[in-house]
Amino acid sequence: MRKPLIAGNWKMNGLRAGLDEISGMGRAYTPALRARADLLVCPPATLIHAAAAAAIGTGIAIGAQDCHAASAGAHTGDLAAAMLFDAGASAVILGHSERRTDHRETDAEVRAKAAAVLAEGMTAIICVGETRAQREAGRADAVVGRQLRGSVPAEAPAARLVVAYEPVWAIGTGLTPGLDDIAAMHAGIRRVLGRLLGREAAKAVRILYGGSVKPANAGEILALADVDGALVGGASLRAADFMEIAKAA
Ligand code: 13P
């Protein structure tokens, strides 16, 4: 009932020449694959408009990596959700650990941004995840629970809400949690969402795993209950790798 979502986060990578990869993804995104998995690519904001043009007719959706909570105004350098939508984005990643670290984003800020994205009719992908120290201290569940309670808007429509579990220590390191740990965390996230949104709504929310997802490990991770897709960093920059992961879904 939850269609898998394979989302690529290009982070601060990509110039116009890299848009060839989106064309390549489009060619490999066959009707059979389209029926089985949704595909989303989130390039840097500078490429959203051109990426959306490159994705026309392919079925690939284009997203952004952050936005401001306000709809317009005196916020030099920032981008409103409506601007990203206007450029061709239908989803926005929010509260990625790199933004929580680099820009000291708080749960309350992430929630305000998510509310702005949802109000624009777009999909909000809210990222949560513990650090290595927090996991080793046995606090992973508590940390992720607190992030969810602080970051997910109360009235979020389940169909346009996506949660990405990305353990900070698994991002870009080649390390991943054990499959049991991923399954347990995803089940726990759905329980928390049930308390926040109601049990039925929580069943419709897609929960993605992110952190060193590669073609070699995607199959076993995506086969886990409550794992409804992946948020892929490095391996989303190349069409061949990204489409291998999509096929694993
Ligand atoms: P990697 O896939 O490069 O580990 O990055 C994961 C990530 O942060 C996606 O948002």
Side-chain angles (χ1 to χ4, degrees):
M1 116 191 175
R2 294 182 301 266
K3 190 173 179 188
L5 169 63
I6 307 300
N9 174 9
W10 282 12
K11 309 191 179 185
M12 199 171 72
N13 297 291
L15 300 172
R16 281 181 297 163
L19 295 173
D20 289 351
E21 298 299 326
I22 293 185
S23 308
M25 290 170 192
R27 284 191 294 277
Y29 194 31
T30 60
L33 197 47
R34 282 196 209 189
R36 292 210 321 267
D38 289 337
L39 234 55
L40 171 73
V41 177
C42 302
T46 47
L47 289 183
I48 288 174
H49 191 256
I56 287 174
T58 64
I60 298 173
I62 300 299
Q65 301 172 13
D66 175 51
C67 73
H68 196 280
S71 57
H75 302 288
T76 301
D78 279 313
L79 297 168
M83 295 170 174
L84 300 168
F85 182 76
D86 187 51
S90 56
V92 185
I93 297 170
L94 299 159
H96 191 282
S97 64
E98 288 151 16
R99 292 208 61 85
R100 290 178 186 264
T101 302
D102 293 357
H103 300 275
R104 296 187 178 77
E105 280 189 15
T106 64
D107 289 334
E109 282 162 347
V110 174
R111 172 158 50 192
K113 291 176 178 203
V117 165
L118 293 167
E120 212 51 54
M122 305 165 82
T123 294
I125 303 174
I126 297 177
C127 302
V128 295
E130 82 285 356
T131 62
R132 172 166 288 291
Q134 288 165 336
R135 174 158 288 269
E136 283 172 357
R139 290 173 47 223
D141 291 343
V143 166
V144 169
R146 192 189 64 222
Q147 289 174 329
L148 287 169
R149 286 189 294 278
S151 308
V152 176
E155 305 296 314
R160 289 191 288 112
L161 176 66
V162 175
V163 170
Y165 169 55
E166 300 205 307
V168 178
W169 52 274
I171 294 175
T173 58
L175 303 172
T176 55
L179 295 175
D180 290 350
D181 287 337
I182 296 175
M185 182 61 85
H186 279 236
I189 288 171
R190 203 173 302 285
R191 277 196 298 277
V192 175
L193 290 173
R195 274 179 240 125
L196 294 173
L197 306 171
R199 286 269 297 279
E200 282 311 305
K203 280 186 201 164
V205 175
R206 289 186 285 190
I207 305 175
L208 314 184
Y209 169 78
S212 297
V213 176
K214 309 283 176 217
N217 62 16
E220 58 188 13
I221 293 172
L222 291 167
L224 296 170
D226 285 310
V227 175
D228 307 312
L231 183 53
V232 185
S236 72
L237 294 169
R238 296 269 163 270
D241 288 343
F242 192 55
M243 297 313 291
E244 274 304 304
I245 292 168
K247 283 179 202 155

